[in-house]
Amino acid sequence: MPQSASALPRLFLASALALALAVPGASLFAAPTVAAPLKAADAAAFADIKIGGDIESFRLDNGLEVVVIPDRRAPVVTHMIWYRVGAADEPAGMSGVAHFLEHLMFKGTEKNPDGAFSKRVAAIGGQENAFTSNDYTAYFQRIAREHLPEMMALEADRMENLILTDAVVAPERDVVLEERRMRVENDPGAMLGETLDAVLYVNHPYGTPVIGWPSEISALSKDNAIAFYDQFYTPNNAILIVAGDVDAETVRTMAEDTYGKVAQRADPGDRVRPRAQRVPGALEVDLADPRVNQPNLRKAWLVPSYTTDEADNAPALDILAEILGGGSTSRLYRSLVIDQGIASSAGGWYQSSTLDDSRFMVYAVPSDGTSLEDLGAATRGVIDTLIAEGVTEAELERAKTGLLSSALYAQDSQSSLARMFGVALTTGSTIEQVRSWPGAISAVTAEDVRKAAETYLAPRPVTAYLRAPEAASAPTAKQ
Amino acid sequence: MGISTAAARPAARLPALWRTGLVAFAVIASLAIATVDARAVEIQTVETPGGLTAWLVEDHTVPIVAVNFAFAGGSAQDPDGKAGLANLMAATLDEGAGELDSQAYRQRLEDLAVKIGFDAGRDAFYGSLRTLTPNVDEAFELLRIAVNEPRFDAEAVGRMQRQIVSGLRREQKDPDAIASRVMSETAYPDHPYGRPSNGTEESVTALTPADLKALHGRLVARGELKISVVGAIDAERLAALLDATFADLPENADLTPVGDVTPKTGIRKDVAFDVPQTSIRLSLPGLKRDDPDFIPAYVMNHILGGGSFSSWLYEEVREKRGLAYSVGSYLVPYDHSGAFLAATGTRSDRAPETIAIITAMMTRMAKDGPSAEELAKAKAFLTGSYALRFDTSDKIASQLLGIQMEELGLDYIDNRNAMIDAVTLDDIRRVAERLLANADPIVVTVGAGAS
């Protein structure tokens, strides 16, 4: 839902900054000075890859930022408008209003009433949707390229002319409550995730669920949504991203004819939120629910995102996440699942792209006969070993290969590219930072990774236990 | 318009049982040719010296090669008492092969940035390969040993069993998963389609490496192998790699015949489960893909419950009444059966009302049918959205594989939009009458207050 970006696939997060794509391939795999597991010929061949697609960006007079990512393989475009506003920008006590407004944006305007936009998208065989996270809200259509000007006109219209009535708002609020039941209340693991966030972000809005608390969603009104809209939906707070069968000059002309006519409606100002505080003491959250028959545990640390990173540690955290928790060759998986046999799965990830301080998360699912507490201690042990002994060059190179190749694979999907740029630009990164990401990854050393682990994972995490109530504990092993 | 892209599409919520059907359906759903532009997908048929056939779309724009392939026979081939065997094979084929044990194999994949995966459908066993061009040779070699020389080491098999069992335990407490499982048992009693594809905790725990070797010997054969390839590779080089990878497989699979079956009707199952939102499933007999009415049925279903933000079910259940976030209907064609399925979730006290609305819409479709305008809009969407299915290598590879598996022919892409456009209101009424008139569906609910 991703709302909370933590729900985004790990690889996507890693590659959210991987906009290497317009960078000459030569820098991609250039770093290793050590014997890489890649054969030399392979590394050289990687470097020879010519990455297609020139990204261009510019700004309209009204402040709208525009990014164009050409991909001429199919006569299709992805048209996205991103607003630099998300759940973390909501007024206190009004959780869920960003997401609620996202739903209501489909209701209509004076010129295009009664869901006319969606009807038009369907009539031309387009696909559309929208999504909300802590830091951004985005709307998109995927269409044959000749419909791009019409989509821009419709999207520009609803940037300033949304009309809501109680008649459409009330049922949509029920839809959102059903969405919350589906995503959260029907799933004790998701409920625990909300609790974990609330404890990890003790003073920061990332601790509030993007979809909102049920009682606050229920109280949201038409006027709340419109007030939020009027405060944040304005061209100077938006980014237009067009990926696909287009060129920048054509997009510029189209954008000036449509979005360019929308006046600035507000000045949202800087996005200043309280700095996330690390509070002392052992922090554990524990949810016992009869709907659980497969327990698990998670550990979460507050860490810098690429945006808040002042000590150049974010690339090392990306690599640390790969080595510690990325798939079946990772430290956690090998130790807990294969060598010790005390977990049925284990892994971790780093949420790299957020406006404020982010999180590093590890998880493990116990094998029968292993307690969550013992599994937690063993997880801690794996991390302590990594801090004490560091990582091997082979691990380092494998992690780099995984991260950098994700940037190459990402070229296959114009939608993925558009999303990566949208996430980066709405969470405080620049296009240039995205482009230089492969270089930053390549430059990370084994000691950088060890140091990042020591700095950020040696302190106590918030630990979350999901389990069945005592009486109905997890089934024991079948004979 | 949800919080997320994926979640707003109800299909994403449908658990594994229906997955195969939906995958096949999605493929079929997208065969229309892009009339938008002359740069339509150009398919080469590659006949290898070793006697294999593959479809290739050669495109050197991005340095990626995507391969999708399928063997005949999926989880419907699981022997009695061994439910979940094909699924376990999908999980273990890439856990060690040839001289490489599990860790060595997985490390090699990562070192080369190669992705290999397998998936057991109901009627077919799928595989995929993704590689960057510099590593094409090594990638195919890794695929070759996975397909020809899987190790099925006890450690790796046991580890995958534990992982699958862990997932099955979670599913036992997931209302959507429970609803789907109950639906398939109810619709297909005494038939392989009624068994859980992923097995049960008991059946999966009892499986052995010997079972996997036996299934591998029966299923993995070149005779019915279908292959599609997209990306930066030419036909000649591909032919050699395909021969090296697949040509030494046995000619014929040894498949257990699966009987044709019509799903049951008229059964109500309410599973009591203490959750705030009740999962609802309705099912009726549907159509197999080779039924002459399949395309009209597909258009009819789009109007009824297939369209993302535009169907009758979306309008009546979600938009007007706010009863659900996700609601939709689907045609689920298997090789030996066809089903029509509707699915949603709503707060427990409004479940009866929601079921009544869904059935009323089914009745309305059978009795009145859509308007001419609704049919025209559905056709416009279905034909116009074709090109969106062909804008990545991954998507094209999966489209081409689907066309081959359904034996629709190389020219199907060129003809499909015309077939959609040819559907008349009479066709819709005929097929709605056939599928939905006097419908007596199976209804499954999982939630609180069930009695």
Side-chain angles (χ1 to χ4, degrees):
Chain A
M1 77 165 113
Q3 334 197 348
S4 69
S6 66
L8 292 170
R10 187 182 51 79
L11 196 68
F12 175 73
L13 290 170
S15 47
L17 284 168
L19 263 305
L21 309 185
V23 159
S27 67
L28 281 183
F29 286 78
T33 53
V34 232
L38 282 175
K39 289 182 294 180
D42 291 335
F46 269 125
D48 281 344
I49 289 170
K50 295 288 178 274
I51 298 171
D54 292 321
I55 296 155
E56 290 189 48
S57 71
F58 49 89
R59 198 178 284 274
L60 301 188
D61 291 343
N62 60 9
L64 180 75
E65 193 172 346
V66 183
V67 178
V68 183
I69 310 166
D71 169 12
R72 315 307 292 255
R73 293 176 299 162
V76 167
V77 295
T78 299
H79 169 238
M80 307 190 90
I81 195 90
W82 293 70
Y83 293 98
R84 288 188 179 88
V85 65
D89 302 300
E90 292 163 342
M94 220 174 276
S95 65
V97 71
H99 170 245
F100 188 40
L101 173 61
E102 176 229 299
H103 276 233
L104 295 171
M105 284 288 284
F106 290 79
K107 296 305 180 188
T109 66
E110 188 179 344
K111 254 167 53 185
N112 297 287
D114 301 326
F117 192 166
S118 291
K119 288 172 188 163
R120 189 60 197 141
V121 172
I124 61 170
Q127 297 167 347
E128 64 168 341
N129 219 320
F131 47 89
T132 308
S133 91
N134 272 318
D135 294 324
Y136 50 80
T137 311
Y139 303 79
F140 70 89
Q141 302 85 36
R142 290 180 23 76
I143 44 168
R145 64 168 177 207
E146 64 267 29
H147 300 298
L148 181 58
E150 185 182 8
M151 294 298 109
M152 286 186 172
L154 286 161
E155 193 68 81
D157 176 40
R158 75 172 166 183
M159 187 180 282
E160 59 177 346
N161 295 319
L162 179 68
I163 292 177
L164 297 179
T165 63
D166 290 331
V168 299
V169 166
E172 200 60 43
R173 195 169 42 227
D174 285 343
V175 168
V176 172
L177 287 165
E178 288 300 340
E179 183 177 358
R180 188 183 154 84
R181 287 186 189 103
M182 183 187 93
R183 294 184 189 282
V184 182
E185 287 148 30
N186 263 23
D187 178 357
M191 293 169 67
L192 179 61
E194 288 190 345
T195 311
L196 172 59
D197 285 344
V199 173
L200 185 66
Y201 289 102
V202 64
N203 70 320
H204 185 280
Y206 290 171
T208 300
V210 172
I211 198 167
W213 301 114
S215 65
E216 295 184 4
I217 298 171
S218 300
L220 291 174
S221 68
K222 178 189 77 175
D223 293 343
N224 297 148
I226 289 293
F228 197 76
Y229 173 72
D230 287 340
Q231 187 179 353
F232 293 109
Y233 281 50
T234 175
N236 43 314
N237 199 41
I239 302 160
L240 167 67
I241 300 183
V242 182
D245 196 6
V246 289
D247 62 68
E249 279 318 299
T250 310
V251 170
R252 182 195 294 272
T253 307
M254 291 176 186
E256 280 168 352
D257 287 347
T258 52
Y259 294 104
K261 307 225 157 78
V262 180
Q264 293 195 3
R265 307 175 63 229
D267 180 9
D270 291 336
R271 304 173 80 181
V272 181
R273 303 160 182 164
R275 175 114 196 210
Q277 295 297 318
R278 289 153 178 82
V279 295
L283 296 171
E284 292 190 347
V285 296
D286 198 325
L287 180 65
D289 188 299
R291 292 175 291 163
V292 173
N293 64 352
Q294 178 56 74
N296 66 51
L297 79 86
R298 292 167 239 182
K299 288 179 182 290
W301 294 260
L302 276 181
V303 296
S305 66
Y306 269 86
T307 304
T308 61
D309 179 27
E310 285 165 1
D312 207 16
N313 282 320
L317 285 166
D318 256 341
I319 290 181
L320 174 63
E322 283 291 301
I323 293 174
L324 190 59
S328 60
T329 63
S330 69
R331 289 281 182 106
L332 286 169
Y333 189 93
R334 275 188 293 148
S335 175
L336 304 178
V337 180
I338 298 179
D339 295 343
Q340 301 185 57
I342 57 176
S344 61
S345 65
W349 72 87
Y350 164 49
Q351 185 183 356
S352 58
S353 299
T354 55
L355 190 60
D356 296 324
D357 277 348
S358 183
R359 70 197 117 188
F360 194 104
M361 188 92 77
V362 300
Y363 68 90
V365 179
S367 297
D368 293 333
T370 301
S371 73
L372 287 175
E373 287 73 10
D374 288 349
L375 184 57
T379 304
R380 181 78 249 180
V382 172
I383 294 165
D384 289 344
T385 301
L386 189 151
I387 291 170
E389 299 171 9
V391 303
T392 68
E393 291 299 333
E395 287 176 314
L396 181 69
E397 293 313 313
R398 189 173 301 129
K400 288 180 179 178
T401 300
L403 291 168
L404 297 177
S405 67
S406 72
L408 295 173
Y409 280 115
Q411 291 180 98
D412 192 36
S413 167
Q414 57 173 249
S415 304
S416 302
L417 288 177
R419 274 183 87 124
M420 286 174 196
F421 273 106
V423 170
L425 294 176
T426 51
T427 57
S429 288
T430 64
I431 289 176
E432 275 319 303
Q433 285 170 322
V434 168
R435 289 183 176 215
S436 61
W437 179 80
I441 290 294
S442 295
V444 172
T445 67
E447 175 57 16
D448 292 338
V449 177
R450 194 205 63 77
K451 195 83 195 338
E454 183 176 60
T455 306
Y456 297 107
L457 305 191
R460 275 200 279 220
V462 179
T463 301
Y465 301 109
L466 180 69
R467 60 178 112 221
E470 280 295 325
S473 61
T476 49
K478 301 289 166 192
Q479 60 285 12
Chain B
M1 19 216 159
I3 296 196
S4 99
T5 315
R9 303 187 65 82
R13 296 184 59 205
L14 291 179
L17 182 91
W18 299 98
R19 186 180 54 199
T20 316
L22 286 170
V23 167
F25 178 57
V27 167
I28 292 152
S30 60
L31 302 184
I33 182 68
T35 49
V36 190
D37 191 279
R39 285 171 299 171
V41 174
E42 186 190 325
I43 304 169
Q44 305 173 50
T45 306
V46 178
E47 308 275 357
T48 73
L52 299 165
T53 303
W55 288 9
L56 167 66
V57 173
E58 184 177 346
D59 180 347
H60 294 266
T61 319
V62 294
I64 295 170
V65 175
V67 184
N68 280 27
F69 57 95
F71 301 103
S75 63
Q77 293 294 319
D78 288 349
D80 287 342
K82 295 187 189 297
L85 181 58
N87 181 59
L88 181 62
M89 186 166 87
T92 48
L93 275 185
D94 58 357
E95 283 287 334
E99 298 297 309
L100 304 175
D101 69 9
S102 171
Q103 273 296 300
Y105 189 86
R106 311 290 311 181
Q107 287 181 3
R108 186 86 186 126
L109 287 175
E110 292 184 16
D111 289 343
L112 295 167
V114 169
K115 302 166 201 287
I116 288 177
F118 298 93
D119 183 42
R122 282 281 183 192
D123 297 309
F125 191 86
Y126 299 89
S128 68
L129 168 73
R130 299 289 181 271
T131 182
L132 303 171
T133 47
N135 296 333
V136 163
D137 291 341
E138 293 91 337
F140 271 92
E141 171 60 12
L142 285 167
L143 180 60
R144 182 191 71 77
I145 60 175
V147 168
N148 291 268
E149 305 165 14
R151 290 164 66 104
F152 299 131
D153 288 336
E155 182 279 329
V157 171
R159 185 156 44 81
M160 287 300 123
Q161 284 171 299
R162 289 193 294 281
Q163 201 164 300
I164 291 167
V165 163
S166 167
L168 290 170
R169 286 180 185 167
R170 268 197 304 276
E171 285 185 5
Q172 283 171 358
K173 300 286 187 177
D174 172 4
D176 283 341
I178 296 167
S180 289
R181 192 167 278 226
V182 169
M183 180 57 90
S184 49
E185 289 165 7
T186 309
Y188 296 109
D190 309 317
H191 190 278
Y193 293 160
R195 296 192 301 230
S197 309
N198 296 353
T200 63
E201 182 165 349
E202 291 70 26
S203 73
V204 171
T205 307
L207 297 174
T208 66
D211 292 327
L212 290 165
K213 286 185 185 116
L215 184 70
H216 178 262
R218 287 174 50 214
L219 229 64
V220 179
R222 48 176 287 176
E224 309 243 346
L225 173 62
K226 305 284 195 292
I227 306 164
S228 69
V229 181
V230 179
I233 189 166
D234 64 46
E236 189 179 352
R237 184 165 180 218
L238 175 64
L241 288 166
L242 290 176
D243 276 345
T245 306
F246 296 115
D248 291 339
L249 290 172
E251 182 60 31
N252 293 313
D254 174 17
L255 300 182
T256 305
V258 175
D260 285 357
V261 59
T262 303
K264 301 286 183 199
T265 55
I267 302 169
R268 172 84 189 220
K269 295 233 172 128
D270 297 305
V271 181
F273 193 58
D274 189 15
V275 281
Q277 185 180 81
T278 298
S279 273
I280 296 169
R281 301 284 184 278
L282 289 84
S283 120
L284 284 168
L287 299 175
K288 286 162 61 175
R289 182 60 190 86
D290 58 7
D291 192 294
D293 270 341
F294 189 88
I295 293 273
Y298 169 53
V299 178
M300 182 276 289
N301 181 68
H302 179 81
I303 298 165
L304 175 61
S308 296
F309 297 142
S310 58
S311 72
W312 289 4
L313 293 182
Y314 181 86
E315 185 66 24
E316 296 295 325
V317 173
R318 173 168 161 161
E319 200 68 4
K320 278 192 190 161
R321 296 178 179 84
L323 288 170
Y325 175 66
S326 163
V327 58
S329 63
Y330 317 88
L331 292 177
V332 188
Y334 294 126
D335 281 2
H336 302 283
S337 188
F340 165 88
L341 180 73
T344 191
T346 190
R347 49 189 265 198
S348 307
D349 60 328
R350 299 191 77 175
E353 177 188 357
T354 305
I355 293 169
I357 293 166
I358 293 172
T359 7
M361 288 304 111
M362 288 159 55
T363 304
R364 176 182 151 201
M365 182 59 79
K367 195 160 157 278
D368 304 330
S371 68
E373 190 191 355
E374 284 172 319
L375 175 59
K377 283 182 176 166
K379 288 183 190 177
F381 174 81
L382 294 171
T383 55
S385 60
Y386 160 80
L388 301 181
R389 312 275 183 157
F390 286 80
D391 69 337
T392 73
S393 303
D394 282 8
K395 287 187 194 175
I396 297 169
S398 103
Q399 298 302 314
L400 297 194
L401 186 66
I403 297 170
Q404 291 185 74
M405 297 190 63
E406 300 293 352
E407 299 181 337
L408 298 171
L410 206 53
D411 60 349
Y412 188 79
I413 293 180
D414 295 329
N415 301 331
R416 190 271 193 177
N417 264 9
M419 293 160 77
I420 295 276
D421 276 331
V423 173
T424 65
L425 275 177
D426 283 344
D427 293 331
I428 300 284
R429 290 200 189 98
R430 181 183 70 251
V431 74
E433 161 82 21
R434 183 177 163 195
L435 290 177
L436 303 173
N438 307 310
D440 189 11
I442 299 174
V443 178
V444 174
T445 71
V446 180
S451 55

